[in-house]
Coordinates of all heavy atoms in Angstrom, one line a residue:
M1 N -4.7 6.5 -40.2 CA -4.1 6.1 -38.9 C -2.8 6.8 -38.8 O -1.9 6.9 -39.7 CB -3.9 4.5 -39.0 CG -3.4 4.0 -37.7 SD -3.6 2.2 -37.7 CE -2.0 1.7 -37.2
T2 N -2.5 7.3 -37.6 CA -1.3 8.0 -37.3 C -0.2 7.0 -36.7 O -0.5 6.2 -35.9 CB -1.6 9.1 -36.2 OG1 -2.6 9.9 -36.6 CG2 -0.4 9.9 -36.0
T3 N 0.9 7.1 -37.3 CA 2.0 6.3 -36.8 C 2.8 7.1 -35.8 O 3.1 8.3 -36.0 CB 2.9 5.8 -37.9 OG1 3.3 6.9 -38.7 CG2 2.1 4.8 -38.8
V4 N 3.2 6.4 -34.8 CA 4.0 7.1 -33.7 C 5.5 6.8 -34.1 O 5.9 5.7 -34.3 CB 3.7 6.5 -32.3 CG1 4.6 7.1 -31.3 CG2 2.3 6.8 -32.0
P5 N 6.3 7.9 -34.2 CA 7.7 7.6 -34.5 C 8.4 6.8 -33.4 O 8.1 7.0 -32.2 CB 8.3 9.0 -34.6 CG 7.3 9.9 -33.9 CD 6.0 9.2 -34.0
E6 N 9.2 5.9 -33.8 CA 9.9 5.1 -32.9 C 11.0 5.9 -32.1 O 11.6 6.8 -32.7 CB 10.6 3.9 -33.6 CG 9.6 2.9 -34.0 CD 10.3 1.5 -34.4 OE1 11.3 1.3 -33.8 OE2 9.7 0.9 -35.2
L7 N 11.2 5.6 -30.9 CA 12.2 6.3 -30.1 C 13.5 5.7 -30.3 O 13.6 4.4 -30.5 CB 11.9 6.3 -28.6 CG 10.6 6.9 -28.2 CD1 10.4 6.7 -26.7 CD2 10.6 8.4 -28.5
T8 N 14.6 6.5 -30.3 CA 15.9 5.9 -30.2 C 16.1 5.3 -28.9 O 15.4 5.6 -27.9 CB 17.0 7.0 -30.5 OG1 17.0 7.9 -29.5 CG2 16.7 7.6 -31.8
E9 N 17.1 4.5 -28.7 CA 17.4 4.0 -27.4 C 17.7 5.1 -26.4 O 17.2 5.0 -25.2 CB 18.6 3.0 -27.5 CG 18.9 2.3 -26.2 CD 20.0 1.3 -26.3 OE1 20.6 1.1 -27.4 OE2 20.3 0.6 -25.2
A10 N 18.5 6.0 -26.8 CA 18.8 7.2 -25.9 C 17.5 7.9 -25.5 O 17.4 8.3 -24.3 CB 19.8 8.1 -26.5
E11 N 16.6 8.1 -26.4 CA 15.3 8.8 -26.1 C 14.5 8.0 -25.1 O 13.9 8.6 -24.2 CB 14.5 9.1 -27.4 CG 15.2 10.1 -28.3 CD 14.5 10.2 -29.6 OE1 13.9 9.2 -30.1 OE2 14.5 11.3 -30.2
A12 N 14.4 6.7 -25.3 CA 13.7 5.8 -24.4 C 14.2 5.8 -23.0 O 13.5 5.9 -22.0 CB 13.6 4.4 -25.0
I13 N 15.5 5.7 -22.9 CA 16.2 5.7 -21.6 C 16.0 7.1 -21.0 O 15.8 7.2 -19.8 CB 17.7 5.4 -21.8 CG1 17.8 3.9 -22.2 CG2 18.4 5.6 -20.5 CD1 19.2 3.5 -22.6
G14 N 16.1 8.2 -21.8 CA 15.8 9.5 -21.2 C 14.5 9.7 -20.7 O 14.2 10.3 -19.6
R15 N 13.4 9.1 -21.3 CA 12.1 9.2 -20.8 C 11.9 8.4 -19.5 O 11.2 8.8 -18.6 CB 11.1 8.7 -21.9 CG 10.9 9.7 -23.0 CD 9.8 9.3 -23.9 NE 9.7 10.2 -25.0 CZ 8.7 10.1 -25.9 NH1 7.8 9.2 -25.8 NH2 8.6 11.0 -26.9
L16 N 12.6 7.2 -19.5 CA 12.5 6.4 -18.3 C 13.2 7.2 -17.1 O 12.7 7.2 -16.0 CB 13.2 5.1 -18.5 CG 13.3 4.1 -17.3 CD1 11.9 3.8 -16.8 CD2 14.0 2.9 -17.7
L17 N 14.3 7.8 -17.4 CA 15.0 8.5 -16.4 C 14.2 9.7 -15.9 O 14.2 10.0 -14.7 CB 16.3 9.1 -17.0 CG 17.3 9.7 -16.1 CD1 17.7 8.7 -14.9 CD2 18.6 10.2 -16.8
A18 N 13.4 10.4 -16.8 CA 12.5 11.4 -16.3 C 11.4 10.9 -15.5 O 10.8 11.6 -14.6 CB 12.0 12.2 -17.6
Y19 N 10.9 9.7 -15.8 CA 9.8 9.1 -15.1 C 10.1 8.7 -13.7 O 9.4 8.8 -12.7 CB 9.3 8.0 -15.9 CG 8.3 7.0 -15.2 CD1 7.0 7.4 -14.9 CD2 8.7 5.8 -14.7 CE1 6.1 6.6 -14.3 CE2 7.9 4.9 -14.1 CZ 6.6 5.3 -13.9 OH 5.7 4.5 -13.2
L20 N 11.3 8.1 -13.5 CA 11.7 7.4 -12.3 C 11.6 8.3 -11.0 O 11.0 7.8 -10.0 CB 13.1 6.8 -12.4 CG 13.2 5.6 -13.2 CD1 14.7 5.2 -13.4 CD2 12.4 4.5 -12.7
P21 N 12.0 9.6 -11.0 CA 11.9 10.4 -9.8 C 10.4 10.6 -9.3 O 10.2 10.9 -8.1 CB 12.5 11.7 -10.1 CG 13.4 11.4 -11.3 CD 12.7 10.3 -12.0
H22 N 9.5 10.4 -10.2 CA 8.1 10.7 -9.9 C 7.2 9.5 -9.9 O 6.0 9.5 -9.6 CB 7.5 11.7 -10.9 CG 8.4 12.9 -11.0 ND1 8.5 13.9 -10.1 CD2 9.2 13.3 -12.0 CE1 9.4 14.8 -10.5 NE2 9.8 14.4 -11.7
A23 N 7.9 8.3 -10.1 CA 7.1 7.0 -10.2 C 6.5 6.6 -8.9 O 7.2 6.8 -7.8 CB 8.0 5.9 -10.8
G24 N 5.3 6.1 -8.9 CA 4.8 5.6 -7.6 C 5.4 4.2 -7.3 O 6.1 3.6 -8.1
V25 N 5.0 3.7 -6.1 CA 5.6 2.5 -5.6 C 5.3 1.4 -6.6 O 6.1 0.5 -7.0 CB 5.1 2.1 -4.2 CG1 5.5 0.8 -3.8 CG2 5.6 3.1 -3.2
G26 N 4.1 1.3 -7.1 CA 3.7 0.2 -8.0 C 4.5 0.2 -9.3 O 4.9 -0.8 -9.8
G27 N 4.7 1.4 -9.8 CA 5.6 1.5 -11.1 C 6.9 1.1 -10.8 O 7.6 0.5 -11.6
L28 N 7.5 1.5 -9.7 CA 8.9 1.2 -9.3 C 9.0 -0.3 -9.2 O 10.0 -0.9 -9.6 CB 9.3 1.9 -8.1 CG 9.5 3.4 -8.2 CD1 9.8 4.0 -6.8 CD2 10.6 3.7 -9.2
L29 N 8.1 -0.9 -8.5 CA 8.2 -2.4 -8.3 C 8.0 -3.1 -9.6 O 8.7 -4.1 -9.9 CB 7.1 -2.9 -7.3 CG 7.2 -2.5 -5.9 CD1 6.0 -2.9 -5.0 CD2 8.5 -3.1 -5.3
E30 N 7.2 -2.6 -10.5 CA 7.0 -3.3 -11.8 C 8.3 -3.2 -12.6 O 8.8 -4.2 -13.2 CB 5.9 -2.6 -12.6 CG 5.6 -3.3 -13.9 CD 4.4 -2.6 -14.6 OE1 3.5 -2.1 -13.9 OE2 4.3 -2.7 -15.8
L31 N 8.9 -2.0 -12.6 CA 10.2 -1.9 -13.3 C 11.3 -2.7 -12.6 O 12.1 -3.3 -13.3 CB 10.6 -0.4 -13.3 CG 9.8 0.5 -14.3 CD1 10.1 2.0 -14.0 CD2 10.1 0.1 -15.7
G32 N 11.3 -2.7 -11.3 CA 12.3 -3.5 -10.6 C 12.2 -5.0 -10.9 O 13.3 -5.7 -10.9
R33 N 11.0 -5.5 -11.1 CA 10.8 -7.0 -11.4 C 11.4 -7.3 -12.7 O 11.8 -8.4 -12.9 CB 9.4 -7.3 -11.3 CG 8.8 -7.4 -9.9 CD 7.3 -7.8 -10.0 NE 6.6 -7.4 -8.8 CZ 5.7 -6.5 -8.7 NH1 5.4 -5.8 -9.8 NH2 5.2 -6.1 -7.6
T34 N 11.4 -6.4 -13.6 CA 11.8 -6.6 -15.0 C 13.3 -6.2 -15.3 O 13.8 -6.5 -16.4 CB 10.9 -6.0 -16.1 OG1 10.9 -4.6 -15.8 CG2 9.5 -6.6 -15.9
C35 N 13.9 -5.5 -14.3 CA 15.2 -5.0 -14.6 C 16.2 -6.1 -14.5 O 16.2 -7.0 -13.5 CB 15.5 -3.9 -13.5 SG 17.2 -3.2 -13.7
P36 N 17.2 -6.2 -15.4 CA 18.1 -7.4 -15.4 C 19.2 -7.2 -14.3 O 19.9 -8.2 -14.1 CB 18.7 -7.4 -16.8 CG 18.6 -6.0 -17.2 CD 17.3 -5.4 -16.6
A37 N 19.3 -6.1 -13.7 CA 20.5 -5.8 -12.8 C 20.2 -6.6 -11.4 O 19.1 -6.3 -10.8 CB 20.7 -4.4 -12.5
P38 N 21.1 -7.5 -11.0 CA 20.8 -8.2 -9.8 C 20.6 -7.4 -8.5 O 19.7 -7.7 -7.7 CB 22.1 -9.1 -9.6 CG 22.7 -9.1 -11.0 CD 22.3 -7.9 -11.7
E39 N 21.3 -6.2 -8.5 CA 21.1 -5.4 -7.3 C 19.7 -4.8 -7.2 O 19.1 -4.6 -6.2 CB 22.2 -4.3 -7.2 CG 22.2 -3.3 -8.3 CD 23.0 -3.7 -9.5 OE1 23.4 -4.9 -9.7 OE2 23.3 -2.8 -10.3
V40 N 19.2 -4.5 -8.4 CA 17.8 -4.0 -8.5 C 16.8 -5.1 -8.1 O 15.9 -4.9 -7.4 CB 17.5 -3.3 -9.8 CG1 16.0 -3.0 -10.0 CG2 18.4 -2.2 -10.1
Q41 N 17.0 -6.3 -8.6 CA 16.1 -7.4 -8.3 C 16.1 -7.7 -6.8 O 15.1 -7.9 -6.2 CB 16.5 -8.6 -9.1 CG 16.2 -8.5 -10.6 CD 16.6 -9.7 -11.4 OE1 17.2 -10.6 -10.9 NE2 16.3 -9.7 -12.7
E42 N 17.3 -7.7 -6.2 CA 17.4 -7.9 -4.8 C 16.7 -6.7 -4.0 O 16.0 -7.0 -3.0 CB 18.9 -7.9 -4.3 CG 19.6 -9.1 -4.8 CD 21.1 -9.0 -4.5 OE1 21.6 -8.2 -3.7 OE2 21.9 -9.8 -5.0
S43 N 16.9 -5.5 -4.4 CA 16.1 -4.4 -3.7 C 14.7 -4.5 -3.9 O 13.9 -4.2 -3.0 CB 16.6 -3.0 -4.3 OG 18.0 -2.8 -4.0
T44 N 14.3 -5.0 -5.1 CA 12.8 -5.2 -5.4 C 12.2 -6.2 -4.4 O 11.2 -6.0 -3.8 CB 12.6 -5.5 -6.8 OG1 13.1 -4.5 -7.6 CG2 11.1 -5.7 -7.1
A45 N 12.9 -7.3 -4.3 CA 12.5 -8.4 -3.4 C 12.4 -7.9 -1.9 O 11.4 -8.2 -1.2 CB 13.4 -9.6 -3.5
W46 N 13.4 -7.1 -1.5 CA 13.4 -6.6 -0.2 C 12.2 -5.6 0.0 O 11.5 -5.7 1.0 CB 14.7 -5.8 0.1 CG 14.7 -5.2 1.4 CD1 15.1 -5.7 2.6 CD2 14.3 -3.8 1.7 NE1 15.0 -4.8 3.6 CE2 14.5 -3.7 3.1 CE3 13.8 -2.8 1.0 CZ2 14.1 -2.5 3.8 CZ3 13.5 -1.6 1.6 CH2 13.6 -1.5 3.0
A47 N 12.0 -4.7 -1.0 CA 10.9 -3.8 -0.9 C 9.5 -4.5 -0.9 O 8.6 -4.1 -0.1 CB 10.9 -2.8 -2.1
E48 N 9.3 -5.5 -1.7 CA 8.1 -6.3 -1.7 C 7.9 -6.9 -0.3 O 6.7 -6.9 0.2 CB 8.1 -7.3 -2.7 CG 7.9 -6.7 -4.1 CD 8.1 -7.7 -5.3 OE1 8.8 -8.7 -5.1 OE2 7.4 -7.5 -6.3
A49 N 8.9 -7.5 0.3 CA 8.8 -8.1 1.6 C 8.4 -7.0 2.7 O 7.6 -7.2 3.6 CB 10.1 -8.8 2.0
A50 N 9.1 -5.8 2.6 CA 8.8 -4.7 3.5 C 7.4 -4.3 3.4 O 6.7 -4.0 4.4 CB 9.8 -3.6 3.3
L51 N 6.9 -4.2 2.2 CA 5.5 -3.7 2.0 C 4.5 -4.7 2.5 O 3.5 -4.4 3.0 CB 5.3 -3.4 0.5 CG 5.9 -2.2 -0.1 CD1 5.8 -2.1 -1.6 CD2 5.3 -0.9 0.6
E52 N 4.8 -6.0 2.3 CA 3.9 -7.0 2.8 C 3.9 -7.0 4.4 O 2.9 -7.1 5.0 CB 4.4 -8.4 2.4 CG 3.4 -9.5 2.8 CD 2.0 -9.3 2.3 OE1 1.8 -8.8 1.2 OE2 1.1 -9.7 3.0
D53 N 5.1 -6.7 5.0 CA 5.1 -6.6 6.4 C 4.3 -5.4 6.9 O 3.6 -5.5 7.9 CB 6.6 -6.4 6.9 CG 6.7 -6.3 8.4 OD1 6.3 -7.3 9.1 OD2 7.3 -5.3 8.8
L54 N 4.4 -4.3 6.1 CA 3.7 -3.1 6.4 C 2.2 -3.4 6.3 O 1.4 -3.0 7.2 CB 4.1 -2.0 5.5 CG 3.3 -0.7 5.6 CD1 3.4 -0.1 6.9 CD2 3.7 0.3 4.5
R55 N 1.8 -4.1 5.3 CA 0.4 -4.4 5.1 C -0.1 -5.2 6.3 O -1.2 -4.9 6.9 CB 0.2 -5.2 3.8 CG -1.3 -5.7 3.6 CD -1.5 -6.7 2.5 NE -0.5 -6.7 1.5 CZ -0.6 -6.0 0.3 NH1 -1.7 -5.3 0.2 NH2 0.3 -6.2 -0.6
E56 N 0.6 -6.2 6.7 CA 0.2 -7.1 7.8 C 0.1 -6.2 9.1 O -0.9 -6.5 9.9 CB 1.2 -8.2 8.0 CG 1.1 -9.3 6.9 CD 2.2 -10.3 6.9 OE1 3.1 -10.3 7.9 OE2 2.3 -11.1 6.0
R57 N 1.0 -5.4 9.4 CA 1.0 -4.5 10.6 C -0.2 -3.6 10.5 O -0.8 -3.4 11.5 CB 2.3 -3.8 10.7 CG 3.5 -4.6 11.1 CD 4.8 -3.9 11.0 NE 5.9 -4.8 11.2 CZ 6.7 -4.8 12.3 NH1 6.4 -4.1 13.3 NH2 7.7 -5.7 12.3
L58 N -0.4 -3.0 9.4 CA -1.6 -2.1 9.2 C -2.9 -2.8 9.5 O -3.8 -2.3 10.2 CB -1.6 -1.4 7.9 CG -0.6 -0.2 7.7 CD1 -0.5 0.1 6.2 CD2 -0.9 0.9 8.6
V59 N -3.0 -4.0 8.9 CA -4.2 -4.8 9.1 C -4.4 -5.1 10.6 O -5.6 -5.0 11.1 CB -4.2 -6.1 8.2 CG1 -5.3 -7.1 8.7 CG2 -4.3 -5.8 6.8
A60 N -3.4 -5.5 11.3 CA -3.5 -5.8 12.7 C -4.0 -4.6 13.5 O -4.8 -4.7 14.3 CB -2.2 -6.4 13.2
V61 N -3.3 -3.4 13.2 CA -3.7 -2.3 14.0 C -5.1 -1.8 13.7 O -5.9 -1.5 14.6 CB -2.7 -1.1 13.6 CG1 -3.2 0.2 14.1 CG2 -1.3 -1.4 14.2
V62 N -5.5 -1.9 12.4 CA -6.9 -1.5 12.1 C -7.9 -2.5 12.7 O -9.0 -2.1 13.1 CB -7.0 -1.2 10.6 CG1 -8.5 -1.0 10.2 CG2 -6.2 -0.1 10.1
R63 N -7.6 -3.8 12.6 CA -8.4 -4.8 13.1 C -8.6 -4.6 14.6 O -9.8 -4.6 15.2 CB -7.9 -6.2 12.9 CG -8.8 -7.3 13.4 CD -8.1 -8.7 13.3 NE -7.7 -9.0 12.0 CZ -6.5 -9.3 11.6 NH1 -5.5 -9.3 12.5 NH2 -6.2 -9.6 10.3
D64 N -7.5 -4.3 15.4 CA -7.6 -4.0 16.8 C -8.5 -2.8 17.0 O -9.4 -2.7 18.0 CB -6.3 -3.8 17.4 CG -5.5 -5.1 17.5 OD1 -6.0 -6.2 17.3 OD2 -4.2 -5.0 17.8
A65 N -8.3 -1.7 16.3 CA -9.1 -0.5 16.4 C -10.6 -0.8 16.2 O -11.4 -0.3 16.9 CB -8.6 0.6 15.5
H66 N -10.9 -1.6 15.2 CA -12.2 -1.9 14.8 C -12.9 -2.7 16.0 O -14.0 -2.4 16.4 CB -12.3 -2.8 13.5 CG -13.6 -3.1 13.1 ND1 -14.1 -4.4 13.0 CD2 -14.7 -2.3 12.7 CE1 -15.3 -4.4 12.6 NE2 -15.7 -3.1 12.4
T67 N -12.1 -3.7 16.5 CA -12.6 -4.5 17.7 C -12.9 -3.6 18.9 O -14.0 -3.7 19.5 CB -11.6 -5.6 18.0 OG1 -11.4 -6.4 16.9 CG2 -12.1 -6.4 19.2
E68 N -12.0 -2.6 19.2 CA -12.2 -1.7 20.3 C -13.4 -0.8 20.1 O -14.2 -0.5 20.9 CB -11.0 -0.9 20.5 CG -9.8 -1.7 21.1 CD -8.5 -0.9 21.2 OE1 -8.6 0.3 21.1 OE2 -7.5 -1.6 21.4
A69 N -13.6 -0.3 18.8 CA -14.7 0.6 18.5 C -16.0 -0.2 18.6 O -17.0 0.4 19.2 CB -14.5 1.1 17.1
L70 N -16.1 -1.4 18.2 CA -17.3 -2.2 18.3 C -17.6 -2.5 19.8 O -18.8 -2.3 20.2 CB -17.1 -3.6 17.6 CG -17.1 -3.6 16.1 CD1 -16.9 -5.0 15.5 CD2 -18.5 -3.1 15.6
A71 N -16.6 -2.8 20.6 CA -16.8 -3.0 22.0 C -17.3 -1.7 22.7 O -18.2 -1.8 23.5 CB -15.6 -3.5 22.6
A72 N -16.8 -0.6 22.3 CA -17.2 0.7 22.9 C -18.6 1.0 22.5 O -19.4 1.4 23.3 CB -16.3 1.8 22.4
E73 N -19.0 0.7 21.2 CA -20.4 1.0 20.8 C -21.4 0.1 21.6 O -22.4 0.5 22.0 CB -20.5 0.7 19.3 CG -19.9 1.8 18.5 CD -19.9 1.6 17.0 OE1 -20.5 0.5 16.6 OE2 -19.4 2.4 16.2
Q74 N -21.0 -1.2 21.8 CA -21.8 -2.1 22.5 C -22.0 -1.7 24.0 O -23.1 -1.8 24.5 CB -21.2 -3.6 22.4 CG -21.4 -4.1 21.0 CD -20.7 -5.5 20.9 OE1 -20.0 -5.9 21.8 NE2 -20.9 -6.1 19.8
W75 N -20.9 -1.2 24.5 CA -20.9 -0.8 25.9 C -21.8 0.4 26.1 O -22.7 0.5 27.0 CB -19.5 -0.5 26.4 CG -19.5 0.0 27.8 CD1 -19.6 -0.7 28.9 CD2 -19.3 1.4 28.2 NE1 -19.5 0.1 30.1 CE2 -19.3 1.4 29.7 CE3 -19.0 2.6 27.6 CZ2 -19.1 2.5 30.4 CZ3 -18.8 3.7 28.3 CH2 -18.9 3.7 29.7
I76 N -21.7 1.4 25.2 CA -22.6 2.6 25.2 C -24.0 2.2 25.0 O -24.9 2.7 25.7 CB -22.1 3.6 24.1 CG1 -20.8 4.2 24.5 CG2 -23.1 4.7 23.9 CD1 -20.1 5.0 23.4
A77 N -24.3 1.3 24.1 CA -25.7 0.8 23.8 C -26.2 0.2 25.1 O -27.4 0.4 25.4 CB -25.7 -0.1 22.6
S78 N -25.4 -0.6 25.8 CA -25.9 -1.3 27.0 C -26.2 -0.3 28.1 O -27.1 -0.5 28.9 CB -24.9 -2.3 27.5 OG -23.7 -1.7 28.1
I79 N -25.4 0.8 28.2 CA -25.7 1.8 29.2 C -27.0 2.5 28.8 O -27.8 2.8 29.7 CB -24.5 2.8 29.3 CG1 -23.3 2.1 29.9 CG2 -24.9 4.0 30.1 CD1 -22.1 2.9 29.8
E80 N -27.2 2.8 27.6 CA -28.3 3.6 27.2 C -29.6 2.8 27.3 O -30.7 3.3 27.5 CB -28.2 4.0 25.7 CG -27.2 5.1 25.5 CD -26.9 5.4 24.1 OE1 -27.3 4.7 23.2 OE2 -26.2 6.5 23.8
D81 N -29.5 1.4 27.2 CA -30.6 0.5 27.4 C -31.0 0.2 28.8 O -32.1 -0.3 29.1 CB -30.4 -0.8 26.6 CG -30.4 -0.6 25.1 OD1 -30.8 0.5 24.6 OD2 -29.9 -1.5 24.4
T82 N -30.1 0.5 29.8 CA -30.3 0.2 31.2 C -30.9 1.4 31.8 O -30.4 2.6 31.8 CB -28.9 -0.1 31.8 OG1 -28.3 -1.1 31.1 CG2 -29.1 -0.5 33.3
P83 N -32.1 1.2 32.5 CA -32.7 2.3 33.3 C -31.8 2.8 34.4 O -31.1 2.1 35.0 CB -34.0 1.8 33.9 CG -34.1 0.4 33.3 CD -32.8 0.0 32.7
A84 N -31.8 4.1 34.6 CA -30.9 4.7 35.7 C -31.5 4.2 37.0 O -32.7 4.0 37.2 CB -31.0 6.2 35.6
A85 N -30.6 4.1 38.0 CA -31.0 3.7 39.4 C -32.0 4.7 39.9 O -31.9 5.9 39.8 CB -29.8 3.7 40.2
G86 N -33.0 4.1 40.6 CA -34.1 4.9 41.2 C -35.2 5.4 40.2 O -36.0 6.2 40.6
T87 N -35.1 5.0 39.0 CA -36.2 5.4 38.1 C -37.0 4.2 37.6 O -36.5 3.1 37.6 CB -35.6 6.1 36.8 OG1 -34.8 5.1 36.1 CG2 -34.8 7.3 37.1
A88 N -38.2 4.5 37.3 CA -39.1 3.4 36.9 C -38.8 3.0 35.4 O -38.5 3.9 34.6 CB -40.5 3.8 37.0
A89 N -38.8 1.8 35.1 CA -38.5 1.3 33.8 C -39.8 1.5 32.9 O -40.9 1.5 33.2 CB -38.1 -0.2 33.8

């Protein structure tokens, strides 16, 4: 079994510092939730609320687009099913 050498505190912080500029939103939120600094916890709570607001707005916009697309498809289908004026059915 291979043992992984333990990092010094400075090495661990250095790795975290190298990770942060490229971290995705999920990784940042996870780190923010566990960070003891109050200003980071406040920013994390704000970011989570903003992301929830974004989710709700996206859901509403996509729901409206879906409703409109369904209505358009039904309208087109009704036109295609209706015989043209002056033609025999």
Side-chain angles (χ1 to χ4, degrees):
M1 184 166 133
T2 305
T3 54
V4 177
E6 288 195 30
L7 298 175
T8 66
E9 184 176 1
E11 290 170 330
I13 293 171
R15 287 189 183 184
L16 179 58
L17 189 57
Y19 166 75
L20 287 174
H22 311 287
V25 172
L28 291 173
L29 290 173
E30 185 176 334
L31 287 169
R33 287 184 202 106
T34 60
C35 181
E39 63 273 16
V40 172
Q41 292 179 355
E42 289 172 16
S43 292
T44 302
W46 178 88
E48 288 175 329
L51 287 170
E52 186 57 34
D53 182 60
L54 174 61
R55 178 194 331 271
E56 290 171 4
R57 290 171 189 253
L58 284 169
V59 166
V61 167
V62 172
R63 183 185 304 119
D64 290 347
H66 184 245
T67 300
E68 290 175 16
L70 288 173
E73 288 176 1
Q74 290 173 351
W75 180 73
I76 291 169
S78 72
I79 291 173
E80 291 174 345
D81 292 342
T82 304
T87 61

